[in-house]
Amino acid sequence: MDTSSPRLRIALYSHDAVGLGHVRRNLAIASTLAPIGADILLLTGTPSASILPRPAGCEVLGLPALSKDSSGGYRARHLDLAADDLLRLRGRVAEAALLEFDPDLLIVDKHPRGVGYELDGVLERLRARGGTSVVLGLRDVLDEPHRTLLEWRRDDSSAALAAWYDEVWVYGDPRVHDVEGQLSMEGPLPVPVHHTGFLAPQLQSRRAAPAGEGPLIVGTVGGGCDGVALAAAVAAADLPPGYRAVVVTGPDMPDADRAVVEVVAASRRDVEVHRMVPGLDDILDQASAVVTMGGYNAVCESMARGLPTLVVPRVTPRREQQVRAHALARLGAVDVLDPQQATSEAIGTWLRGAVHRLPTRPTGIDLRGLDRVQQHARRLMAGAVRRSHRAVS
């Protein structure tokens, strides 16, 4: 095997049990790191990851998929395996891949020990071997404050940081929500913490709607596993005159739920329903307003475009979306509607006012996170030279 390539190597771990949020965020990070000139390996448990756009030089390695039950516990999504057995399998796949790939930089998403501690073994071996900078990447909001700290303690996360990590990157703005402050209530974190700002795309210009098609409204519900009520409400809403709507149900919406949304839209010529839109950016570039559950990527994409955005947040099993939505609403970046109030009539009323607002990027919110992620990665890998290949042993 030729081991003389001078290219650096970056690995991303994305645990992925619900929706597309984690893998889409990691693909955005991969895209901003690609210009460094590194080979990038993304480990993900999202079955749909292989059809999402990714940059040149990025390979996706699928881990056996997890899902969450109504209480937030993990279970196998496809295989007839107990959760512990699946996590053991995932951990062994991740360990073999990461030791063989031998990254110069490893960015771990959200869980410092991996889901179910599946990364403990490989993090220990990478630290003992040396040569790999390890970063924990945290989204802006993990959950409501007391639960965030409770889970951090339960997983002994500060000890994991001290043992295996070089630093933490928080993909948000502490003026919106200070997750570091929550995690540091019992003492400062043992490694440096850098707030990058939101990972919002840096856009050049908006696209006009195709000739002959009216202005656009977009409804999104993330992966879609629990989005049927909102998707159906958007599909049933009275649109402003001349407007059309695209409702994206997500790949994880059950077939029976998706059928409900399609039935609602079937009699309308101004509403389209899609399971997935790999080129969602192109549609958002044409949008006049967005209705969304308010996952991290959705609000970043809307804020980057300055789109009027109505967030109807998920409140179970986590309140992450609700916490984020109200924090952004206080700064005027989004509007919020409680799920119990999100009827088609209420959404239609909001849309009729929203489409007349001019697109305006929010002020006072840091949206330069992707630039800073690249800067931090360059800093950590400055002077790194590809080491000779070391066999897994």
Side-chain angles (χ1 to χ4, degrees):
M1 183 174 72
D2 180 10
T3 61
S4 62
S5 171
R7 285 170 64 85
L8 297 170
R9 296 180 184 177
I10 300 171
L12 303 165
Y13 163 86
S14 184
H15 78 278
D16 306 296
V18 176
L20 300 174
H22 296 281
V23 70
R24 289 187 62 220
R25 182 165 61 251
N26 279 281
L27 284 169
I29 292 169
S31 294
T32 205
L33 295 181
I36 291 177
D39 288 319
I40 301 173
L41 179 65
L42 170 60
L43 280 67
T44 172
T46 298
S48 304
S50 61
I51 66 173
L52 294 172
R54 66 181 188 266
C58 176
E59 184 64 77
V60 173
L61 176 63
L63 300 174
L66 291 164
S67 63
K68 273 188 177 181
D69 57 31
S70 58
S71 65
Y74 293 106
R75 56 185 173 81
R77 180 176 298 199
H78 302 300
L79 299 177
D80 186 19
L81 294 179
D84 287 347
D85 292 336
L86 188 78
L87 290 167
R88 190 178 305 110
L89 173 59
R90 284 168 52 101
R92 288 175 177 171
V93 171
E95 181 167 2
L98 290 172
L99 291 177
E100 185 69 26
F101 187 62
D102 191 20
D104 299 284
L105 173 63
L106 169 62
I107 305 173
V108 174
D109 184 61
K110 186 187 175 185
H111 292 282
R113 301 176 64 185
V115 176
Y117 316 139
E118 64 186 357
L119 295 185
D120 281 9
V122 69
L123 288 172
E124 182 69 28
R125 294 184 69 180
L126 286 173
R127 182 56 82 193
R129 191 165 71 176
T132 299
S133 296
V134 183
V135 171
L136 176 65
L138 297 177
R139 66 182 180 227
D140 60 328
V141 180
L142 299 179
D143 204 336
E144 53 193 328
H146 76 278
R147 186 169 177 183
T148 294
L149 186 57
L150 180 66
E151 293 183 354
W152 189 262
R153 289 173 181 158
R154 178 200 67 194
D155 294 338
D156 207 9
S157 296
S158 288
L161 290 183
W164 301 321
Y165 283 80
D166 295 284
E167 53 194 52
V168 175
W169 299 347
V170 178
Y171 306 133
D173 184 337
R175 293 170 295 185
V176 179
H177 183 80
D178 187 7
V179 69
E180 181 190 1
Q182 293 174 2
L183 298 178
S184 302
M185 289 181 65
E186 297 174 341
L189 297 182
V191 297
V193 178
H194 301 282
H195 295 267
T196 66
F198 286 93
L199 305 181
Q202 303 303 309
L203 307 171
Q204 301 302 316
S205 62
R206 289 174 53 80
R207 294 184 177 90
E213 297 185 10
L216 184 64
I217 289 159
V218 176
T220 67
V221 292
C225 62
D226 56 357
V228 61
L230 180 57
V234 176
D238 286 335
L239 304 181
Y243 281 77
R244 58 194 176 93
V246 170
V247 179
V248 184
T249 64
D252 297 335
M253 183 174 286
D255 290 341
D257 288 350
R258 177 178 161 82
V260 170
V261 182
E262 291 177 331
V263 167
V264 171
S267 62
R268 304 187 59 167
R269 299 181 62 185
D270 56 351
V271 177
E272 300 176 16
V273 178
H274 298 276
R275 183 181 295 277
M276 281 191 71
V277 181
L280 185 60
D281 284 345
D282 292 339
I283 292 179
L284 289 171
D285 284 346
Q286 302 169 32
S288 298
V290 174
V291 181
T292 177
M293 290 179 73
Y296 180 89
N297 303 292
V299 297
C300 283
E301 289 159 349
S302 291
M303 288 193 296
R305 294 167 172 83
L307 294 173
T309 302
L310 178 64
V311 176
V312 182
R314 172 190 294 122
V315 294
T316 59
R318 293 189 179 275
R319 293 188 177 270
E320 165 225 338
Q321 294 181 353
Q322 186 182 52
V323 172
R324 176 183 300 111
H326 284 287
L328 290 173
R330 286 192 292 272
L331 297 173
V334 302
D335 297 323
V336 183
L337 189 62
D338 185 273
Q340 300 300 319
Q341 300 173 334
T343 63
S344 58
E345 292 80 8
I347 291 171
T349 298
W350 180 84
L351 287 170
R352 286 189 288 276
V355 296
H356 298 296
R357 303 184 204 167
L358 293 175
T360 306
R361 283 168 63 100
T363 58
I365 298 177
D366 188 346
L367 302 180
R368 302 292 297 186
L370 289 171
D371 287 345
R372 291 200 187 87
V373 162
Q374 187 186 103
Q375 292 167 10
H376 287 312
R378 288 183 183 275
R379 171 178 53 80
L380 284 175
M381 295 190 296
V385 178
R386 277 306 309 155
R387 304 174 299 284
S388 61
H389 179 76
R390 290 171 293 196
V392 179
S393 60

